Each structure stands twice: as C-alpha cells, then as structure tokens.
Amino acid sequence: MPVISGSSCREIALSLAKEMGMHFIPAETRRFPDGEGYLKTPAQDFESIRSEPAVIVSSTFPDNGIIQTMMMLASIADIQRGDLSNLKKEGVQEMEDVGRKIILAVPYYGYARQDKRFSAGEVVAAGVIASHLSNACDGIVILDIHEPKVLENIEHPIRCVTAVPEIANWLREEVNPDFILSPDKGAVERARNVAELIDVPYSYLEKKRIDAHTIEHSPKDLDVSGKVVAIVDDMISTGGTICRASDALRRQGAVEVHAACTHGLFTSGALTRLAEHVDGIHSSDSLANPRAVISGAPALARGVQDLIGIL
Ligand code: R5P
C-alpha cells in the first residue's frame, strides 16, 4: 500500500510506511515566488496508487499544511478516478475509474484548539476543517487531537489515536517518574492513562488562562515531595503552561520535573524558557522539533489498520 506525504510530514510518513511495511511516495513540492505551493504526485507511482488504498500523511499546520493536504487529496483522487488529462499531453490521458480509496493520517491537527464558539460570529475552525477534509477522503486518522468531541458531527469515519503507550514507555525507560501530572483538569485522562501504564500515581492542577501568554495555577496539595514528576500534555506551544506547572511542583518539593507531550510546537522561544524550568523535555515526532524522541508512527499505524478494515 502506498504512503504519500508532502514536504512537512516526510519523516513521520517514512516511519509509518516502515511500521506498516508500505511503499513510501514523496510528493513533489515547491513554492512559487509569491509563496503559493505547488504539488505533483510522481507518475511512476500512479499504478500503485490505483491498485491499493492510499494513505496520505499530512498535518493541518501551519496554514499552508491545510492547502497541501487538500492538494494531495485532490491529486490522489484524480489518479484513482483515472483523470490524468493534462495540457502537455503527457502519458495516458484517461484511465478506468478504480474508485476512491484514500485514508488521511494527520500527525498534528492544527486548529484543534478552536473547538468552541465563545462569541457569536466566531468559527469552530477545528470542525470546519474536519468537515472539508472528510469529504475529500474515505477516512481520517488523527493523532492526539486536543478535543475529539469537535469531530462528533462528522459523518465520515474518523479514528482518534493516541501516542500515550509510546510516551509512557519512553518515560518509564528514560525518566522513571514517581508521579504523573496533568497541567489542567481537561487533560487528566491522558495523565491517568500514562500513569496507569507506568504504575505510578497521578493528579492535575487547576489552571486558569489569563491570556495567550499568561497562565495561573491554583495551589493544590500534591504528594510530590522528593519525587521525580513528569508533566504530560497533548501539546506544548509557548511553554507557559508547563513552566507554571513546574514552578507549582517545585514549590511543593518535587526534585526533578520533566515535560512530555505529543505535539511539540515550541513557539516564541519556548525551548529556552522551558530549559529554565524543567529537567527534560520529551516530545513525539508529530511535528519536527529538536525534542522529538518518541515515535508517533505506531499510533497512526493502529488507526490506519483499523480504517483499512472498513474500506
Ligand atoms: C491547552 O489546553 C493545551 O492542552 C495545552 O496545555 C496548551 O495549549 C499549551 O500551550 P502553552 O505551551 O502555550 O502554554
């Protein structure tokens, strides 16, 4: 089965292809001088794309990731439909329609945090994007989406998969934590799952977001004195959440604090800031970053495997 990726998700797409024993196809991509993207699926791979379901690996981040995802979905759908017509009259122009069979695997679902309408006129962007993408393929696998509830009105098959087993495994081997902490109540389920796999206690902090850069953590009695604690979150962006959580843990006597996440965005100098607050930063490779030590491919593979069964 072919696994196709554009420019942004090449590493994780390659890992997924290896994990599943599939054939990796790098789409040809470049940028026009005005910044617009160009994408072409290599002609030598048309046959494999037409003979088996195709897996596209693409994130909806940054914004041009959404465009690239849409372009790849359209290119593969045309190839499977047999619409190869082109102005240069290269190759066969038309072939039999073999039927669309496309699975989209999304390592990082950008816009996931825009999952609610707080004021009239706002857009639930996470839902809008899912609705468009799901119409253009036969199933979507999403790795550790911020809030899966935003997908509940999507009619097409979607599998939300998690890298929690791989994160737990990494933390057990490399950090050996005594305690797992969720930086807020909303993410406690993830912390609980990691803690159960490692067999250590867990808890959460009460978090209040003042603005995009300011977080307040309410004091809460945690049994972390003398302990090695790993804070587990779905994503780290500015690092503000983790820094404040780490400070709260150290005030309560934690001797070592680590941060682990699936999506390491690390915006606005986050890694420098985090280095002053935590002893280690551990991320999956859903996004390319200097702390990408945990593979997200096994989780994506679990979702793809599941969807193949219903195609
Ligand atoms: C929010 O609910 C998320 O789960 C993360 O905690 C948050 O997005 C992290 O952002 P930052 O690193 O900017 O604090």
Side-chain angles (χ1 to χ4, degrees), residues 113 146 184 207 209 233-241:
R113 285 174 292 179
H146 182 65
D184 61 60
K207 174 176 109 172
R209 185 173 279 281
D233 209 349
D234 59 338
M235 66 179 78
I236 301 176
S237 179
T238 64
T241 302

Side-chain angles (χ1 to χ4, degrees), residues 46 49-50 74-86 92-100:
F46 288 179
I49 289 166
R50 288 172 52 76
S75 172
I76 303 303
D78 281 350
I79 293 163
Q80 292 181 335
R81 202 174 46 238
D83 179 3
L84 307 175
S85 60
N86 63 88
V92 182
Q93 301 295 293
E94 207 177 313
M95 291 178 95
E96 180 202 347
D97 183 345
V98 293
R100 193 187 70 185

Side-chain angles (χ1 to χ4, degrees), residues 28-40:
E28 186 189 324
T29 59
R30 57 175 188 261
R31 288 216 166 270
F32 288 105
D34 61 1
E36 287 179 4
Y38 166 92
L39 182 130
K40 181 183 176 185

Side-chain angles (χ1 to χ4, degrees), residues 206-225:
E206 297 284 358
K207 174 176 109 172
K208 192 173 162 200
R209 185 173 279 281
I210 310 300
D211 59 43
H213 298 276
T214 322
I215 304 288
E216 257 182 26
H217 277 114
S218 316
K220 181 174 175 179
D221 284 340
L222 298 169
D223 183 16
V224 293
S225 182

